[in-house]
Amino acid sequence: RTALTMLGVAIGALTVTLIFSLGTGLRSFIRVQIEALADPRVIQVLGARNLPITSILSNTVGRLGRTPREIGKNSFNPGAFNLRYLNRKEVESIRLIPHVVSVTPSTVVFTNYIQLEGDERKFEVLMIPEGEGFRLELACGPGFSDSDDYEVVLAWQYLDAFGLKDPYELIGKKAKFSVRPFPLSVRGEISSPSSRILDMKEKIFEARIVGVSTKTLLSMAAYVNHGLAVDVARYFFNDPKLHTEDKFGLAANVTVDSRQNVGAVKKEIEKLHLTAVTIAERTGFLDAIFYVIQVVLTIFGVIALVVAGLGIANTLLMATYERRKEIGLMKALGCLLYTSDAADELDGVDLG
C-alpha cells in the first residue's frame, strides 16, 4: 500500500509538472515566433473610438442581465458595425505626427492560388501586403524597389513546393495570383448577389519575384508590394475608389521610425479620437490566454498536492493503527514515547 501511494504521488506530481512546463514552453515559443514575425514599429489605426472586439466583449458580455443604457456622445451600440473609413483630414493629421515614417491603408487581399511561371501546378498562398506589420527578413534577392511594377517576396518553403533547391532560381521569375471578386460586393457596397458579379471571371495578377524570405512559420506567405495589394483589393471588392485619399480604408498602418517612439505616437493618435493598436498589445492578448491556461493548470496542481497530502496522511494513520500492538509492547518494555513517535515521523518523511 505504501509503495502504491508513493507511485501514485510521483506520477501525479510528474504529470502536473510536465503539463505546466509544456504550457510555459509553448507560451514562450509562440511569443518568440510572433516577435520574430511582427514589426514592433507598426501601429494599426482604426476609425473608431474603441477597439471593436474588446468593446463588444466588455459592453455586451459585461452587461448581461442589466438595463439597456442610453447611447450618448462617448458611447455606442455594441451590436452595431462601428468601423468607418478614415478620411483625408485624419490621415494627414497622422502623417504630421513626429516620428511617423509612413501611413498606408490596411488592405484586405484574398487570392485563390499561386502559380510559378512555366508551371501549371497551383499552390495555396497567403498574400501579405507590404507594411501590414509583418517583419520581412530576406534570405536572398534585392527586395522591394520604388518601382510601380508588381513585386513579390515568397516564403522559403515555396522552394520545396516548386521543386527547387537554390533560392536564386526564383529571383526574376514571374508569379501568378488568381483573384475573384467578392460575390456580395457591387462597386464597394455590400448587396445581394447578382448574376453579373457571380459570372465575373477570375483575374490573374503577375508579379516579379524579388526575394525569398527566411524560413518562418508563415510557410504560405507571399509578401507583395503596396501597388499590387491595392489593385487586388480593388478588384476583389469591385471598388476602383478603394484605398484612395477620399476612401483611405477601414484601418491604416502607421510605421514609426523606432520602437522607442511607438508609445508617444500612439498617444498622439488617440488624441485624434482614433483607436491605435500596437504589436505589443496584440501579443499581450495571447499572453493573457496562456496566463489563464497556466492558472487553471496551477489549480489542478494544487488539487493534486492536496490529494497527495491526504493520501500520505491516510497511509500514516493506517500504518500507525496496524502497529498498535507493536507500539503497546514497546511501551511495556519501557520504550519512551518520543522513540515510537520518531519511527512514525521517519515513515512520513519516507512517504513524502
Side-chain angles (χ1 to χ4, degrees):
R1 184 174 62 245
T2 301
L4 290 177
T5 302
M6 295 176 62
L7 179 62
V9 171
I11 293 176
L14 178 62
T15 302
V16 172
T17 304
L18 182 61
I19 293 176
F20 189 80
S21 300
L22 289 176
T24 304
L26 182 62
R27 176 185 177 186
S28 301
F29 173 77
I30 293 179
R31 184 177 182 85
V32 169
Q33 291 297 323
I34 292 177
E35 290 179 351
L37 295 174
D39 188 351
R41 300 177 302 125
V42 175
I43 303 174
Q44 188 177 56
V45 180
L46 301 170
R49 181 60 177 171
N50 297 291
L51 188 62
I53 296 178
T54 56
S55 296
I56 290 175
L57 290 176
S58 61
N59 288 279
T60 303
V61 179
R63 293 194 54 77
L64 292 176
R66 299 186 181 184
T67 304
R69 295 179 300 185
E70 181 182 358
I71 299 177
K73 293 182 179 180
N74 297 324
S75 60
F76 61 91
N77 180 20
F81 185 77
N82 297 289
L83 289 177
R84 60 172 178 79
Y85 286 103
L86 295 169
N87 56 50
R88 184 194 300 265
K89 182 179 178 180
E90 290 170 335
V91 174
E92 291 298 328
S93 299
I94 296 173
R95 287 172 176 164
L96 294 176
I97 296 176
H99 306 295
V100 171
V101 177
S102 64
V103 181
T104 57
S106 180
T107 54
V108 179
V109 289
F110 295 96
T111 55
N112 298 323
Y113 58 83
I114 182 176
Q115 282 182 313
L116 183 64
E117 179 184 15
D119 192 342
E120 295 299 325
R121 295 177 298 170
K122 302 175 181 179
F123 296 92
E124 55 188 2
V125 62
L126 176 63
M127 183 178 284
I128 300 177
E130 180 185 11
E132 283 293 323
F134 289 88
R135 181 179 296 173
L136 177 58
E137 295 184 2
L138 292 174
C140 68
F144 296 126
S145 65
D146 296 330
S147 173
D148 294 331
D149 298 334
Y150 295 159
E151 296 177 339
V152 59
V153 175
L154 296 180
W156 181 272
Q157 286 84 343
Y158 277 108
L159 290 173
D160 295 332
F162 295 145
L164 302 175
K165 295 183 178 180
D166 188 0
Y168 286 95
E169 295 182 52
L170 286 175
I171 306 301
K173 288 188 175 183
K174 294 284 187 177
K176 299 179 181 180
F177 297 95
S178 168
V179 181
R180 288 185 183 274
F182 184 51
L184 301 183
S185 177
V186 181
R187 294 183 181 179
E189 302 295 333
I190 305 298
S191 63
S192 59
S194 64
S195 58
R196 185 181 66 83
I197 294 297
L198 294 175
D199 292 339
M200 290 184 68
K201 297 181 179 179
E202 66 175 353
K203 183 175 180 180
I204 301 298
F205 291 84
E206 292 189 358
R208 184 169 59 91
I209 302 176
V210 296
V212 176
S213 68
T214 55
K215 184 178 289 188
T216 64
L217 293 180
L218 295 177
S219 58
M220 299 184 299
Y223 304 90
V224 299
N225 61 347
H226 181 68
L228 175 57
V230 169
D231 288 345
V232 168
R234 289 172 179 170
Y235 185 78
F236 179 79
F237 290 106
N238 192 31
D239 187 3
K241 296 182 179 179
L242 184 62
H243 299 315
T244 59
E245 291 296 328
D246 295 326
K247 203 173 185 180
F248 195 78
L250 295 175
N253 296 313
V254 179
T255 304
V256 185
D257 56 2
S258 67
R259 188 173 185 173
Q260 290 74 17
N261 296 323
V262 169
V265 174
K266 172 181 168 64
K267 292 180 180 179
E268 293 297 325
I269 293 174
E270 291 175 343
K271 290 181 180 179
L272 301 174
H273 303 287
L274 301 172
T275 297
V277 184
T278 64
I279 297 297
E281 291 172 336
R282 297 182 189 179
T283 55
F285 176 74
L286 293 177
D287 284 342
I289 295 177
F290 281 102
Y291 177 76
V292 172
I293 295 175
Q294 285 186 330
V295 169
V296 173
L297 292 177
T298 302
I299 293 175
F300 280 110
V302 172
I303 294 175
L305 291 176
V306 171
V307 172
L310 293 176
I312 293 173
N314 176 66
T315 302
L316 287 174
L317 288 175
M318 293 298 297
T320 304
Y321 181 79
E322 292 174 352
R323 290 201 312 231
R324 286 181 303 167
K325 294 182 178 180
E326 178 184 345
I327 295 173
L329 180 59
M330 293 174 61
K331 289 184 177 181
L333 294 175
C335 181
L336 297 177
L337 182 62
Y338 72 86
T339 304
S340 59
D341 290 343
D344 293 335
E345 292 173 359
L346 287 175
D347 286 343
V349 171
D350 184 44
L351 283 173

